Amino acid sequence: MTQQDVRVRIAPSPTGAPHVGTAYIGLFNLAFARAHGGKFVIRIEDTDRARSSQRSEDAILRSLRWIGLEWDEGPDVGGPHGPYRQSERLHIYHEHVDQLIAEGAAYRCVCTPERLDAMRQQQREAKQPVRYDGHCRDASAAEIEAAIAQGLPAVVRMKVPPDGVTVVHDAFRDPITIENSQIDDQILLKSDGYPTYHLAAVVDDHLMGISHVIRAEEWISSTPKHLMLYEAFGWTPPVMMHMPLLRNTDKSKISKRKNPVSLEYYERQGYLPEALLNFLGLMGWSMPDEREIFTLDEMTEAFTFDRLSLGGPVFDLQKLDWINGMYLRQLSPEALAERLQRQLIQPKVDRLSDPDFVQQMIPLLQERLHTLGDFHTMASYFYDTPLAYDVDQLVPKGKKSRETAKILTEVSEHFQRHEGAWADAELEDAMRSYIERTKWDNRSLFMTLRVAITGRTASPPLFATMEVLGRETCLARFEDAIAALQR
């Protein structure tokens, strides 16, 4: 096989929000393709007519692009092996199903839902494996046609050999041998005329020239059925490569019950796409020099599956926060301001439409940010007016509201008389000159000032914050704090 022969794909189902697991598998497909000069394909598996939607497809493609994945062929970019939506390939599946039936590798089944439910219940009560019992497997064509004529819905099932074994050769694992007697006569074509995953995936992978199927390990159990289909069609199967599943910190499979799994969630929260992609690249894989911060291009250049670990990689949000924070701190103030204004800043806040104002805040906050979403949590006091004060925080221990209001009034008047620049160092000098004339201890007074200016007991340096806020806002907040103390 030459490098140009490498063709890989992901095939998301548009039945919900874009899943982080799709991006994870997509990243490793893309890295493998680029490392071998091959092609990366996206195919939409929209055969679940009840749940598939165009909105979901659009969201999946948009989110995969947002995170930094680019594909060579797909429903939105076209390519030589289209269509790339399975709903547009129904005639292809029907042709291949007819071939399987004609060659005795598949059969039509007209079992009703009621019969199937009763069959499964009997199997459960008898503590037997729950699977199709082959009732229609040996029915004559005339019997099947008569049942269909009476209005019974028909599906097409794969005729699994009752004896022998199927061996799964996975590039990452030892061969897995499965008794054919343990494999169900899987439905290939549903009664609505749409294929199941098993038929569509095999037919599409072959016709689209997919050389390596890189997917999650949860599909290992389905692989024997796929190999049987390849054999029935007389096709050579692609190389099978099953990636370890993403895990929660308790080692359970990642799910929205324990961790956010939607790519849109991570975008809304203000994670940088390049940081999230970097994080996914660390899921069971590592760079040759073991560094944890790397770009997609750097990953691609160094990529080999030899460095893949099959132990379930832990989707650790604390690690993601750390990586995202590293990326945020690498941005210039101008670049960070642009990201904030493009993705998170609320248009209703007039001051945030001023890039100069935003850039003034950034040096005070950048080292503390884990996500862009932290900006509003940490910086809202820069633009929220008026602040909501907790009087207990304004009043130091051992002091009373009245005396706190009195000294805050004196501080306000002192700053009103300040004629120097409204700048960090000058403001601190002015405050030091006042402190020399008061009996309050520095710690208590500075805490009261901090709460009056920011509404919080913890914030970036006080006088640098006052510089960004400006004279009018600071003096107005002194008045508001004094009023809160006098209520």
Side-chain angles (χ1 to χ4, degrees), residues 75-151:
D76 55 341
V77 299
H81 299 279
Y84 292 91
R85 292 185 187 88
Q86 289 185 337
S87 61
E88 299 172 4
R89 300 171 61 84
L90 298 185
H91 64 288
I92 298 173
Y93 308 129
H94 282 251
E95 291 172 1
H96 285 80
V97 161
D98 291 344
Q99 176 186 336
L100 292 175
I101 293 174
E103 295 175 356
Y107 60 95
R108 297 188 189 281
C109 172
V110 291
C111 289
T112 63
E114 292 76 17
R115 182 192 176 279
L116 293 173
D117 287 343
M119 174 200 74
R120 296 183 186 109
Q121 183 60 33
Q122 290 175 357
Q123 290 172 338
R124 292 189 190 97
E125 292 173 355
K127 300 188 183 306
Q128 298 172 341
V130 177
R131 59 173 183 250
Y132 184 62
D133 61 2
H135 179 76
C136 292
R137 184 179 176 116
D138 297 318
S140 68
E143 290 174 317
I144 296 297
E145 291 299 333
I148 293 174
Q150 293 175 7

Side-chain angles (χ1 to χ4, degrees), residues 337 340-341 345 352 354-362 375:
L340 287 165
Q341 290 185 304
I345 287 177
L352 295 182
D354 179 359
D356 292 335
F357 176 64
V358 175
Q359 286 187 37
Q360 282 183 287
M361 288 186 280
I362 284 173
F375 177 83

Side-chain angles (χ1 to χ4, degrees), residues 245-263:
L245 292 174
L246 299 179
R247 301 285 179 180
N248 296 309
T249 52
D250 63 2
K251 296 299 183 177
S252 61
K253 176 184 173 182
I254 188 173
S255 68
K256 61 184 178 183
R257 289 185 293 275
K258 293 188 177 182
N259 258 331
V261 296
S262 167
L263 286 173

Side-chain angles (χ1 to χ4, degrees), residues 43 68 86 93 139 190 200 208 232 239 245 248 301 309 316 324 345 361 386 394 415 418 425 441 462 464 468 485:
R43 184 174 70 227
Q86 289 185 337
Y93 308 129
K190 296 177 287 188
M208 293 182 180
V239 178
L245 292 174
N248 296 309
E301 184 176 349
S309 169
D316 183 351
N324 202 70
I345 287 177
M361 288 186 280
L394 277 169
F415 278 114
H418 176 66
D441 64 278
L462 174 61
V468 174
L485 289 165

Side-chain angles (χ1 to χ4, degrees), residues 272-341:
L272 302 184
E274 57 268 40
L276 181 55
L277 201 65
N278 185 159
F279 174 69
L280 293 176
L282 291 170
M283 296 292 99
W285 187 84
S286 61
M287 291 285 283
D289 59 5
E290 300 292 341
R291 72 181 186 272
E292 294 188 301
I293 303 299
F294 50 82
T295 66
L296 176 57
D297 287 342
E298 290 169 338
M299 178 180 179
T300 297
E301 184 176 349
F303 189 78
T304 169
F305 273 120
D306 292 341
R307 301 192 62 79
L308 180 70
S309 169
L310 295 183
V314 176
F315 197 89
D316 183 351
L317 290 180
Q318 290 185 339
K319 182 63 171 288
L320 175 56
D321 284 349
W322 176 80
I323 291 174
N324 202 70
M326 294 289 288
Y327 273 82
L328 284 171
R329 284 182 277 284
Q330 289 174 2
L331 294 176
S332 68
E334 295 78 14
L336 180 52
E338 181 182 351
R339 297 276 188 127
L340 287 165
Q341 290 185 304

